Amino acid sequence: EQLYLNGDMSRGVLACVTCHGDGGNSTIPMNPNLAAMPHEYIAKQLRDFVPQGDKRAVRTGADGAPSIMSTIAPTLTPQDVQNVALYLSHQKMDWDKAGTATHEATMERGQTIWRAGIADRKVPACAACHSANGAGLPGEFPRLAGQHPEYLLEQLKLFRSGDRANDIMRDIADRMNDQDLAAVADYAAGL
Ligand code: HEM
Ligand code: HEM
């Protein structure tokens, strides 16, 4: 909690709260909401942002551009990662600040993909791994409910381009067109 709120200037660790909000409830569309995320997922992401020697980090922005998190994650010790991940996983969602669905017209399409996937393109149901209500699953399966829809759509595009390297999500995002990605990102945010 201390690190989340204040960072540690003596070690060059920035305060997370500035960008991710009180208890992880960010109000900025491209800054993910981190409250009540599975701690294993948060810890994995913090490792994935760290550049690997000469190689890029597992997780970058579009066209391999370093994520802002790639300057922050390397300043954290494994103990910091564990502490901050546990702190965030225990924070409550503030639903007044959470993301919501805004595109009425694509709601049905989003719901279908969420619950049943797209059979003829072999897209599995998102609910299988992110849970029916979007709360995520213990382990490395993130909560998507209440996330900012703009952020979710951006991540789906990063999986598809491989800038965020993840075999499962790359395969899934690759089988969907832009309209499907937008529909399901918006629907998931509103769960
Ligand atoms: C993403 C944690 C500080 C901006 C993330 C993610 C985590 C995280 C776990 C991935 C979330 C997900 O996959 O859903 C932290 C912690 C911090 C910190 C523990 C403090 C030690 C900051 C600061 C900023 C920031 C200070 C702004 C200057 C962002 C942005 C993303 C992000 C923009 C999305 C990045 C992308 O997709 O490439 N952060 N963060 N974070 N964080 Fe932080
Ligand atoms: C991550 C969406 C289906 C496993 C994510 C993220 C999004 C997403 C937006 C990133 C979240 C964040 O950055 O906070 C979806 C959608 C799906 C779907 C829309 C359905 C079309 C699945 C399925 C599985 C799965 C079926 C399991 C077989 C994962 C895992 C991660 C993830 C393991 C974390 C990846 C990492 O560590 O970087 N998903 N997902 N997802 N999803 Fe999915």
Side-chain angles (χ1 to χ4, degrees):
E1 176 166 17
Q2 185 58 34
L3 194 75
Y4 184 85
L5 294 175
N6 302 316
D8 185 343
M9 284 313 272
S10 71
R11 297 190 282 132
V13 182
L14 296 178
C16 322
V17 70
T18 320
C19 297
H20 292 286
D22 289 337
N25 287 284
S26 139
T27 52
I28 304 165
M30 293 309 283
N31 291 9
N33 181 310
L34 303 176
M37 282 281 190
H39 64 89
E40 300 93 333
Y41 173 76
I42 292 179
K44 175 176 184 285
Q45 299 313 307
L46 290 170
R47 294 191 297 270
D48 284 355
F49 283 122
V50 179
Q52 311 292 312
D54 291 348
K55 288 197 305 179
R56 37 154 289 183
V58 171
R59 200 174 157 176
T60 70
D63 302 321
S67 164
I68 190 145
M69 285 303 299
S70 285
T71 61
I72 296 166
T75 68
L76 304 174
T77 65
Q79 188 65 57
D80 292 336
V81 168
Q82 199 190 336
N83 291 345
V84 82
L86 282 171
Y87 166 74
L88 285 166
S89 68
H90 285 98
Q91 300 310 300
K92 286 209 166 50
M93 284 292 290
D94 179 342
W95 292 100
D96 292 336
K97 294 182 182 166
T100 49
T102 52
H103 300 298
E104 189 70 44
T106 63
M107 209 81 94
E108 231 181 87
R109 179 70 180 152
Q111 185 182 69
T112 302
I113 298 172
W114 181 264
R115 293 183 179 173
I118 310 173
D120 57 8
R121 278 186 262 145
K122 297 199 168 69
V123 175
C126 319
C129 294
H130 294 281
S131 83
N133 65 2
L137 290 174
E140 295 171 357
F141 302 100
R143 167 181 58 73
L144 306 183
Q147 188 54 275
H148 304 297
E150 300 87 343
Y151 169 79
L152 293 180
L153 179 56
E154 173 72 7
Q155 296 307 312
L156 288 168
K157 290 183 172 168
L158 292 172
F159 283 128
R160 191 166 64 180
S161 64
D163 289 309
R164 180 171 174 181
N166 182 268
D167 290 343
I168 301 176
M169 285 308 304
R170 183 184 194 157
D171 191 47
I172 292 171
D174 206 32
R175 293 162 190 270
M176 290 193 278
N177 60 35
D178 286 353
Q179 287 94 308
D180 290 335
L181 292 184
V184 77
D186 193 64
Y187 179 78
L191 282 166

